[in-house]
Amino acid sequence: MNTQEINNWQAVHEEVRRRIHARDWKPGDLIPNEADLAREFGCARATVNRALRTLADAGLLDRRRKAGTRVALHPVGKAVLDIPVIRQEIEGCGMAYSYVMLDRITEPAATSQQARLRIRAETPLLHVTALHLADGRPYVLEDRWIDIAVVPDATNAPFDTTSANEWLLAQAPYTHGDIAFSAVALPEMAALALKARPAAAAFRIERNTWDNDRAVTAVDLYFAPGYRMQTQL
Amino acid sequence: MNTQEINNWQAVHEEVRRRIHARDWKPGDLIPNEADLAREFGCARATVNRALRTLADAGLLDRRRKAGTRVALHPVGKAVLDIPVIRQEIEGCGMAYSYVMLDRITEPAATSQQARLRIRAETPLLHVTALHLADGRPYVLEDRWIDIAVVPDATNAPFDTTSANEWLLAQAPYTHGDIAFSAVALPEMAALALKARPAAAAFRIERNTWDNDRAVTAVDLYFAPGYRMQTQL
DNA sequence: TCGCGTATTATGTCTGCACATAACAATCTG
DNA sequence: CAGATTGTTATGTGCAGACATAATACGCGA
């Protein structure tokens, strides 16, 4: 027999997962309560709790107090994307990373940035444009705005060898942010920098980060055509 | 004073987060060990453990046995994407969902599908093409291949009113999968179905799901131009 | 000085118990 | 009978103590 004791939370996790998968417990079914499972598996309720909580986090179970635990109707695929620092992403693929700053000026916020960062028109922003390369080939174009009022040190940072990306991570903490992925026709200037055909389909990431209610920075990343962002389910 | 007792894991979580944010503990710093923190906060080590574990899961801390816990150098943004059923995604936006099946044939696997699903050439696949609409406008084109050998019931499913998407979720369990996001120029047939300009930049999701080592299904989703996939950090 | 085994230490997890909290069920009251 | 009150139940979380595990630090011998 392979029925060794199920006395750690990973084993409980796996066994419950197996039962769901084997359709012993079908979507929508109420499963036994923690105390019963603990007794069945011969472990403490806390152990069962941890396993079920983890499964609920993963979207396989729905749990409600008193109502009990049931198998999720729609096992919502939750994909966890790591958003790595670009340098690490490139080096992680075994390619040589290099970086070129293309432009760096201080300018009043454009209308689109005002809305995005929820700032007033006269706010001066530091606008940095840079290119990240993998094995010498353009990989992604970084178009970034930084609120100088929130990150005053940025005025003195040259960004000529270290990307704003990494500098900000190390220097400017943030409390939350939002991120959006989309496909766009490459603007002409971006195409030029990336050595791609203008209007080619490019993967874009827009990201804004906030320190409490103050916008720290907004970035647009235009990836060279062919880029794929991949993960496991 | 607002120094009320920190005796639950959320409070510890918040306090640690605050200290990281306030740069009391800077990126790379070793923070006090669990036992010390528990003493400081006046709670049990298990409580501190849960808070720190959660923060580590979120990517803010790096933990290694014996080496201790340190503030992550690169607070890797881990974006958790919900991959909802398309119908729910549309209805969640307050739009009316509708669905049209465009095509449904059984055919031998094309070379590209063979590689993707790791199957032999002669394997027959059920190929279903369908359109999901929001408020009557094309939203996403679903191009799906199903291995009949793995999901025999699929042969009898008409897929004319319920999308293969939902049918599979309810009928065919899977153990794992992979998903990739990219931008592509819309193929002519897809553009036609989506009523978009051919070669327009479209957001594409490729997803493969597996039941242990057998491929269940592969799907390509072509979203209508303008689609944005969004989440919080 | 170099290598290797051992001691130390921080995290990882289990147990058994307790109480908190949410939600549904049953019952009481006007 | 309607609406409020109370009871019951399942999950959520806390605590103290124990042992497991991994990785570093130290000391010993060649």
Side-chain angles (χ1 to χ4, degrees), chain B:
Chain B
M1 289 292 279
N2 58 357
T3 48
Q4 61 210 1
E5 278 289 307
I6 298 179
N7 54 359
N8 56 8
W9 75 267
Q10 287 99 332
V12 174
H13 183 280
E14 175 139 351
E15 173 62 13
V16 171
R17 200 189 153 92
R18 190 193 63 72
R19 290 187 188 179
I20 292 170
H21 181 246
R23 301 181 79 69
D24 289 348
W25 295 333
K26 299 185 192 58
D29 279 7
L30 198 64
I31 75 173
N33 70 40
E34 295 186 349
D36 289 346
L37 285 175
R39 217 168 305 128
E40 185 194 340
F41 293 141
C43 66
R45 188 172 76 87
T47 307
V48 173
N49 181 285
R50 170 130 191 221
L52 297 188
R53 180 160 41 82
T54 305
L55 283 162
D57 285 346
L60 262 93
L61 294 175
D62 268 342
R63 321 193 71 195
R64 268 170 45 225
R65 276 180 166 148
K66 158 73 184 173
T69 301
R70 50 185 70 234
V71 180
L73 255 346
H74 299 290
V76 219
K78 288 192 182 176
V80 181
L81 295 178
D82 294 337
I83 317 285
V85 177
I86 295 170
R87 181 167 57 80
Q88 294 183 334
E89 181 175 344
I90 291 174
E91 288 173 349
C93 295
M95 295 188 286
Y97 173 76
S98 50
Y99 167 83
V100 188
M101 191 183 69
L102 302 179
D103 197 20
R104 180 188 193 285
I105 54 169
T106 304
E107 57 187 10
T111 328
S112 59
Q113 305 311 323
Q114 288 169 34
R116 200 165 153 185
L117 300 173
R118 292 189 224 124
I119 47 176
R120 293 191 314 278
E122 61 266 31
T123 311
L125 296 179
L126 179 61
H127 184 180
V128 179
T129 311
L131 191 63
H132 301 262
L133 304 103
D135 277 346
R137 281 203 306 278
Y139 187 80
V140 59
L141 180 73
E142 175 180 347
D143 202 9
R144 181 183 294 271
W145 291 264
I146 302 168
D147 191 330
I148 297 174
V150 180
V151 196
D153 288 350
T155 338
N156 308 317
F159 298 131
D160 49 359
T161 54
T162 312
S163 75
N165 195 326
E166 291 181 51
W167 186 89
L168 281 166
L169 268 180
Q171 300 298 322
Y174 63 90
T175 51
H176 63 289
D178 51 81
I179 187 165
F181 307 89
S182 54
V184 288
L186 220 42
E188 198 159 345
M189 277 179 49
L192 206 67
L194 288 169
K195 290 189 183 142
R197 193 174 46 74
F203 190 79
R204 180 181 59 182
I205 297 182
E206 296 157 274
R207 192 166 62 202
N208 307 314
T209 59
W210 305 81
D211 182 357
N212 296 310
D213 59 343
R214 310 180 70 187
V216 176
T217 183
V219 63
D220 285 353
L221 298 172
Y222 293 90
F223 288 83
Y227 177 78
R228 279 160 57 95
M229 188 173 71
Q230 229 170 325
T231 188
Q232 302 298 311
L233 282 180

Side-chain angles (χ1 to χ4, degrees), chain A residues 213-224:
Chain A
D213 58 343
R214 309 180 70 186
V216 176
T217 183
V219 211
D220 285 352
L221 298 172
Y222 293 91
F223 287 83

